[in-house]
Amino acid sequence: MFESLGAFVDHLRAQGKLVDIDEELSPDYEVAAAVRLIDQRLGKAVLCRKVRGCGMPVVANILARRDLLRLAFASPNDPTEEYLRRIGGSLPPEVVRAAPVHEVVHDGDFDVAKLLPLLLHHEKDAARYISSGVTVSRDPQTGLRGMGIYRIQVCGPRELTISIGSPPVSDFLAKANATGKPLPVAIAIGLEPLSYFASVVPVAAGVDKFDAAGTLRGAPVPLVAARTQPVEVYAEAEIVLEGEMLPNTQREDGPVGESTGYYHAGRSWAARLTAVTHRAHPFYYALVPFAAENTLLMGVTREADLLAALRRKFPSVRRVSLTQGSVAMLAIIQAAPASKEEATAMVRAALEGSMQVKTAILVDADVDPHDLNDVQWALSTRFQADRDLLVLRDLPGSPIDPTATNRRTAKLGLDATRPADQAEAFMRIALDPAARRRVEEILARLT
Ligand SMILES: Cc1cc2nc3c(=O)[nH]c(=O)nc-3n(C[C@H](O)[C@H](O)[C@H](O)COP(=O)(O)O)c2cc1C
């Protein structure tokens, strides 16, 4: 477990998984371009040390790949399996009195844009956005804590919109709006990796998400009372914005480049800031919408839910991959179906059981679901369209699919497994194991 974002950044650098950029970059589009291009080309985290007009360095992409998530879990296991192994328990947070995030406090007439390197991400974005902020709040009736990542638009020195559309914070806001009272919130920017990951895991209604975060980290999350709002927030965060949601008030939001890869415009809930607090030497954490981390943060938990549900029905299901390029709407399922009927039932269960899966491809145990070359090979050599294709109509779809009508969509299933009785005829060619081991050793010395 890492104490802070800074500790994880040091670890990523030591592992060769971080690119340090020393050239000065502008917060207007240039930092976002660096984050996206390093993500696409190198799959690494990035630290932009000098950002024009602001003394704070910007970090991004810390969880942009599965191997980075493995480092965060400090486990060689597949992150989806590790998540399934850890989730389900309850380890409540620990409330502390003094916190690094309170080393510097601005609670007067501040202008948030002058304090933080707020970024312009995409060419048609209407404003600066904070895409990585974890908004923490409490149920105004029961006091239950909860958090989530919600898109934040900066509208003025202390004015924001926050696109709170999913639970638990959307439930808290609905209750506050019903009574006409403001909802206190605190927004954390820059967290150690497992607190960040845990901020968006789904939990059952009535469960404190910080209890789930504790089990994922293997240690209680340290919380501290915010300075100007009756809410507790991550003590180890780099930066925290404190404020309140204005009751029943919405403003224009966007256009803004979103996680789908398209621009979005609409209306979102208005908020007013009352303080900005941060460490003495904080990192600003950036998430560029549609970069790989955006999909992976939620994809791994969705993948785990689907895997667990499929395994309950079909014990031969081994792995599930919700692919990056499909914004987690394409599922590759690795299994050993005993018959054609079972293969079809698996594909149908994946399409019907997961709202966000729009296409499902079933592959055999000898095909790596995380290797798209392998999947294409299976599709080309084991799939016949007039025999192995399934089309389902009018099912609940992903809320982010722009082709869905009222969130209903058609779905496609492809059974790319070989006939169960023809394993011999479809046996893959393979290298001699001893020769492979020897050459692997030689290559490890050369590279
Ligand atoms: C990068 C990122 C951005 C997100 N942006 C939003 C958002 O703007 N609005 C929203 O309602 N939910 C957003 N979410 C989802 C919520 O954070 C929420 O935690 C998630 O929906 C929890 O899962 P559940 O809906 O299954 O409970 C975002 C998630 C991620 C990872």
Side-chain angles (χ1 to χ4, degrees):
M1 187 207 62
F2 296 88
E3 297 287 336
S4 63
L5 173 60
F8 192 54
V9 165
D10 289 344
H11 186 64
L12 290 173
R13 186 181 291 110
Q15 298 290 317
K17 299 289 185 188
L18 178 90
V19 177
D20 284 284
I21 300 187
D22 288 321
E23 284 80 359
E24 185 180 81
L25 293 178
S26 168
D28 299 358
Y29 311 113
E30 286 186 359
V31 172
V35 172
R36 270 298 289 284
L37 294 180
I38 287 169
D39 176 42
Q40 284 171 349
R41 299 200 183 151
L42 304 173
K44 291 189 179 184
V46 54
L47 173 62
C48 304
R49 290 173 174 278
K50 288 187 208 131
V51 179
R52 190 168 307 146
C54 189
M56 284 182 201
V58 177
V59 184
N61 294 344
I62 62 163
L63 296 181
R65 292 291 184 282
R66 302 179 81 84
D67 61 338
L68 303 182
L69 202 46
R70 257 191 208 104
L71 292 176
F73 276 124
S75 160
N77 292 340
D78 177 73
T80 307
E81 296 289 353
E82 190 59 21
Y83 166 76
L84 278 175
R85 204 178 67 74
R86 294 189 190 200
I87 200 71
S90 174
L91 191 51
E94 180 187 16
V95 180
V96 298
R97 286 172 155 275
V101 74
H102 287 160
E103 282 165 0
V104 180
V105 176
H106 306 270
D107 56 4
D109 281 344
F110 60 85
D111 178 350
V112 66
K114 298 217 165 87
L115 299 177
L116 306 179
L118 302 179
L119 304 181
L120 277 170
H121 296 118
H122 295 106
E123 54 175 346
K124 297 198 191 309
D125 282 4
R128 295 179 194 280
Y129 276 83
I130 302 170
S131 324
S132 61
V134 177
T135 300
V136 182
S137 190
R138 299 188 85 123
D139 186 314
Q141 286 169 357
T142 65
L144 180 78
R145 295 187 195 94
M147 69 291 210
I149 300 180
Y150 303 103
R151 184 184 64 244
I152 297 169
Q153 175 185 230
V154 181
C155 311
R158 289 180 293 285
E159 288 76 39
L160 311 173
T161 63
I162 313 184
S163 111
I164 299 174
S166 52
V169 184
S170 57
D171 297 338
F172 306 165
L173 183 61
K175 288 183 184 177
N177 282 341
T179 59
K181 293 203 177 123
L183 179 76
V185 291
I187 301 153
I189 303 170
L191 294 173
E192 60 82 19
L194 290 186
S195 290
Y196 183 46
F197 176 73
S199 72
V200 288
V201 303
V203 294
V207 170
D208 185 327
K209 272 179 101 170
F210 284 100
D211 295 1
T215 58
L216 277 178
R217 298 175 85 224
V221 178
L223 294 180
V224 68
R227 287 300 178 93
T228 59
Q229 294 294 334
V231 63
E232 285 146 355
V233 70
Y234 300 89
E236 303 290 336
E238 299 296 309
I239 299 161
V240 163
L241 314 182
E242 300 180 6
E244 55 190 19
M245 306 305 300
L246 306 181
N248 300 303
T249 310
Q250 289 198 323
R251 287 206 190 106
E252 299 297 320
D253 178 10
V256 54
E258 254 291 12
S259 51
T260 48
Y262 292 100
Y263 289 97
H264 165 89
R267 293 178 72 75
S268 287
W269 298 105
R272 190 177 62 86
L273 291 177
T274 50
V276 175
T277 77
H278 57 78
R279 289 172 178 258
H281 301 287
F283 292 107
Y284 182 85
Y285 192 75
L287 184 149
V288 175
F290 197 53
E293 179 172 271
N294 199 162
T295 301
L296 199 69
L297 270 175
M298 302 247 301
V300 167
T301 57
R302 301 284 188 270
E303 209 171 85
D305 288 348
L306 180 58
L307 179 62
L310 287 175
R311 272 182 184 160
R312 278 194 292 275
K313 266 185 151 172
F314 309 102
S316 82
V317 170
R318 294 191 181 186
R319 289 194 284 169
V320 169
S321 163
L322 295 185
T323 65
Q324 176 58 48
S326 71
V327 277
M329 291 198 271
L330 166 62
I332 317 288
I333 299 140
Q334 186 198 48
S339 63
K340 178 68 188 162
E341 290 67 37
E342 193 183 34
T344 308
M346 286 174 175
V347 174
R348 181 180 282 276
L351 296 174
E352 289 177 343
S354 165
M355 191 177 67
Q356 81 180 60
V357 171
K358 194 175 173 188
T359 306
I361 304 177
L362 187 71
V363 296
D364 290 299
D366 63 346
V367 174
D368 180 353
H370 291 292
D371 180 346
L372 287 183
N373 278 335
D374 238 22
V375 175
Q376 291 173 65
W377 172 79
L379 264 183
S380 304
T381 63
R382 296 181 177 180
F383 168 82
Q384 278 294 321
D386 60 353
R387 180 190 65 192
D388 301 319
L389 189 83
L390 183 67
V391 176
L392 302 178
R393 291 183 174 79
D394 195 28
L395 287 174
S398 162
I400 65 165
D401 176 3
T403 68
T405 311
N406 298 327
R407 292 200 181 178
R408 311 244 356 139
T409 182
K411 298 196 173 192
L412 172 68
L414 302 104
D415 171 12
T417 58
R418 64 197 164 198
D421 57 356
Q422 290 184 41
E424 191 77 9
F426 284 87
M427 187 170 63
R428 287 187 83 145
I429 58 173
L431 296 174
D432 175 73
R436 185 189 181 107
R437 268 197 305 279
R438 169 127 204 275
V439 175
E440 294 272 22
E441 279 164 23
I442 295 169
L443 290 181
R445 282 199 297 280
L446 286 177
T447 53

